[in-house]
Each structure stands twice: as C-alpha cells, then as structure tokens.
Amino acid sequence: LIRRLRRGPLDAAVALDLFEQVAAALAAAHDVGVIHRDLKPENIFLARFGSGDGREVVKVLDFGLAKLLEPLGEGPQTDANQRIGTPRYMAPEQADLDAVPDARWDVYALGAMLFALLTGNPPYKTKEFKDTLQSAPTLSDRLQLYREMLKSAESPALALRKTAADSALIEI
C-alpha cells in the first residue's frame, strides 16, 4: 500500500474499499484478542487474485508488535512495551510507556491510515512536528511531546482540501 501512496492520494471509492478490508481484518484479529499495535500503510499488502475483476485484496502484515489482550498460557508473551509502533499512525494513548495495550490503538491507526489514503500523507506530517519530536533527548521525552502536540494540534488542514472527503468526517 505504501507504494500506491507514494504516487499520491487514492480515489475515495478505492480508499474506502481498502479501508473496509483492513477494518474487517482488524475486527477478526480483535475478535480473538489480538491487537496489531503498528498498523500503517507499510504493513498492508495489496494482492490481486485470478478473479478477473482486478480488485485488490488487502493482507495485513507484520504482527511483530501484536499483543494478546489475554495471554493464552504460561509461554513467552510479547512485552507490552517491547516497541511502541510508528508515531505517524500511533494513538496518543499508545505513546504512554505505562499504558495497557488496547484495541482502540488500532482503531486510531486505522483512521490515520484512511486520512493518508485520501490525502496522500498521514495526519500531522509537518516539518515542525518532525523537528520538534527529534529535538527531544530521550524516547520518554519524545513520547510526552507527541502526546502534547496531538492534544493541542488543529485538525489536519489537508482534509479540508480533499473534495471527496465528507464534511462530517472532517469534523471528527
């Protein structure tokens, strides 16, 4: 999916089709107690099968940061703070190293991905945002800045210029 996004925003109908497929895959994972924790375009593979209709089928990849909401046994478990995900698509709550993993983190990332599909960029992708985060001396400081910056940020302006975006969605 990231290769497609490098060419620019997707048509709204295509974006919604891909979004629905990713949402269905996440719902299936969440139904069995698995959260992804690093959902982003780089982890979505688009495949075409021999049906002849040319429709792309989504495959959600890289469950390397995935976490079981309820451990299945006494075997090795993924540490909740092993790694934290990708900031451009990460829920503010996920940027708290003491936070308990939650399926809502994936829902935030899914919304950020839809924004990227429709606009060509993830929300809050600005040089100032990047420079501010990189200026923090420690991971903990960067995560704190990230949470603060998202809480105080205005709605991403790119959505306002996307004619196919529903005005009700822009206000969310």
Side-chain angles (χ1 to χ4, degrees):
L1 182 56
I2 191 64
R3 287 185 192 152
R4 289 280 302 279
L5 277 177
R6 285 183 182 135
R7 295 188 301 231
L10 304 181
D11 174 75
V14 172
L16 288 175
D17 178 48
L18 298 176
F19 171 83
E20 288 174 356
Q21 291 183 62
V22 174
L26 277 181
H30 292 171
D31 283 349
V32 295
V34 175
I35 57 173
H36 192 283
R37 299 197 307 173
D38 195 23
L39 190 65
K40 57 187 175 183
E42 290 89 334
N43 290 339
I44 305 299
F45 182 75
L46 302 178
R48 292 187 195 269
F49 293 100
S51 63
D53 65 1
R55 182 173 184 246
E56 292 173 307
V57 177
V58 162
K59 301 292 179 185
V60 179
L61 306 176
D62 194 2
F63 278 79
L65 296 183
K67 175 76 177 159
L68 289 174
L69 293 175
E70 294 182 28
L72 297 176
E74 295 183 23
Q77 302 293 322
T78 302
D79 178 9
N81 296 324
Q82 182 180 25
R83 291 192 305 163
I84 56 166
T86 303
R88 294 180 314 262
Y89 297 94
M90 186 171 58
E93 299 81 8
Q94 189 175 354
D96 179 351
L97 291 176
D98 295 322
V100 175
D102 189 304
R104 292 175 290 185
W105 295 358
D106 286 347
V107 174
Y108 179 93
L110 184 63
M113 238 178 42
L114 178 60
F115 183 91
L117 295 177
L118 293 171
T119 66
N121 288 297
Y124 310 109
K125 182 180 179 183
T126 66
K127 182 171 178 5
E128 178 187 0
F129 198 88
K130 180 180 176 182
D131 290 347
T132 301
L133 287 180
Q134 289 180 339
S135 71
T138 67
L139 174 61
S140 183
D141 292 337
R142 274 192 294 281
L143 294 174
Q144 178 65 31
L145 269 173
Y146 178 77
R147 289 191 307 272
E148 291 170 5
M149 290 169 65
L150 286 186
K151 286 179 184 176
S152 65
E154 293 183 25
S155 296
L158 286 175
L160 300 174
R161 294 192 303 241
K162 181 69 177 175
T163 57
D166 185 310
S167 60
L169 286 175
I170 293 170
E171 297 303 317
I172 294 177

